[in-house]
Amino acid sequence: MHIFTPSFFGGNGIVGAQVPVGAGIAFAQKYLGNNTATFALYGDGASNQGQVFEAFNMAKLWNLPAVFVCENNKYGMGTSAERSSSNTEYFTRGDKIPGIQVNGMDIIASRNAVQYARKWVTDGNGPLLMEFVTYRYGGHSMSDPGTTYRTREEVQRMRSTQDPIRGLQRNIEEWGLASEQELKQLDKEAKAEVDEAVEEAKASPEPLLKDLWTDIYYKGTEPPFMRGREREEVHHY
């Protein structure tokens, strides 16, 4: 949520607040004459926030190069999309903004859709809505077990029939790019790398207090003072 780079503007703690921020960034890109696309991602739960529709209106009014991406994984925080949204075809909710619906469990389809969306907005066609229909296996967060509003059988059925990694694996095998054995070896090596990283993290000492203020700004943009930081023998609380 708090990672920023010259082309990535982090997340937002307020549900749906990143959507108008994305519209603002798209406005800045158009104002500066940069031929770029701005992708603002939000979930099916955030799609009902008022500021999302306000951002849609301004983006279409000013013909901004913005792609509004709804990640529809069927469930918000403990609630199915059908219980919270009167219209669950989120790609149709842009009024005058055209929309496309994409199989978010298909990696190739997702890649092609993003390429299409970028070209659409950089060609001067104005904003676009893009809905990825996907599915999350776990809960929304640590406080959400993910099993109180759906059955374990549903999760297992989706995992066994729609999993995007397994789907890509089948394509790779059918296309003759790699054998089943080679892919299993890659999977084994990846798991070993993760296990090694976990053990390294467990063995690492507690971070120092000063690390709270380390790498929180992009290099070269650090302000002279950061709230709460001891600096030049002056304490700020």
Side-chain angles (χ1 to χ4, degrees):
M1 183 174 289
H2 302 293
I3 296 174
F4 285 76
T5 74
S7 60
F8 180 76
F9 293 82
N12 202 295
I14 302 171
V15 176
Q18 71 275 21
V19 180
V21 170
I25 294 168
F27 174 79
Q29 296 302 303
K30 183 173 182 178
Y31 182 84
L32 295 171
N34 298 330
N35 190 31
T36 57
T38 300
F39 289 77
L41 284 72
Y42 58 100
D44 51 279
S47 68
N48 295 319
Q49 295 292 101
Q51 59 196 330
V52 173
F53 295 96
E54 293 175 37
F56 289 173
N57 179 61
M58 296 176 78
K60 184 60 180 178
L61 189 64
W62 295 337
N63 220 37
L64 301 181
V67 182
F68 297 106
V69 184
C70 178
E71 298 174 82
N72 175 16
N73 60 26
K74 306 291 189 178
Y75 295 95
M77 178 64 135
T79 309
S80 67
E82 287 75 13
R83 290 188 64 200
S84 61
S85 300
S86 60
N87 177 10
T88 57
E89 291 186 318
Y90 296 99
F91 72 102
T92 68
R93 300 177 91 182
D95 192 15
K96 297 293 185 178
I97 301 176
I100 58 174
Q101 191 179 58
V102 187
N103 180 3
M105 302 296 268
D106 184 323
I107 295 171
I108 305 300
S110 298
R111 177 181 181 273
N112 290 345
V114 170
Q115 283 186 323
Y116 176 88
R118 184 187 184 281
K119 187 175 189 305
W120 173 273
V121 298
T122 55
D123 281 351
N125 294 309
L128 181 73
L129 256 64
M130 185 161 63
E131 176 191 357
F132 284 117
V133 181
T134 180
Y135 192 86
R136 62 169 165 81
Y137 302 137
H140 174 82
S141 64
M142 292 292 288
S143 60
D144 174 19
T147 54
T148 56
Y149 45 84
R150 58 182 176 175
T151 64
R152 285 183 169 84
E153 288 74 23
E154 176 187 305
V155 177
Q156 186 54 43
R157 184 178 69 253
M158 293 296 294
R159 190 189 292 272
S160 61
T161 61
Q162 303 293 324
D163 187 78
I165 296 176
R166 295 293 167 252
L168 182 63
Q169 180 181 353
R170 286 192 294 271
N171 287 340
I172 288 174
E173 290 175 13
E174 290 175 5
W175 297 337
L177 299 175
S179 67
E180 182 180 357
Q181 290 71 29
E182 288 173 319
L183 291 173
K184 283 183 177 179
Q185 182 60 30
L186 283 173
D187 194 51
K188 184 178 179 181
E189 291 172 1
K191 288 177 180 175
E193 184 177 343
V194 170
D195 290 341
E196 183 181 343
V198 168
E199 292 307 315
E200 181 182 344
K202 288 180 178 178
S204 298
E206 281 286 319
L208 299 174
L209 188 61
K210 68 179 181 64
D211 290 334
L212 283 170
W213 293 276
T214 301
D215 295 329
I216 60 174
Y217 284 91
Y218 183 67
K219 187 176 181 181
T221 65
E222 300 91 341
F225 163 71
M226 282 172 265
R227 185 178 178 187
R229 180 177 181 181
E230 182 181 327
R231 192 176 181 88
E232 297 177 350
E233 302 304 320
V234 177
H235 295 262
H236 302 271
Y237 299 98

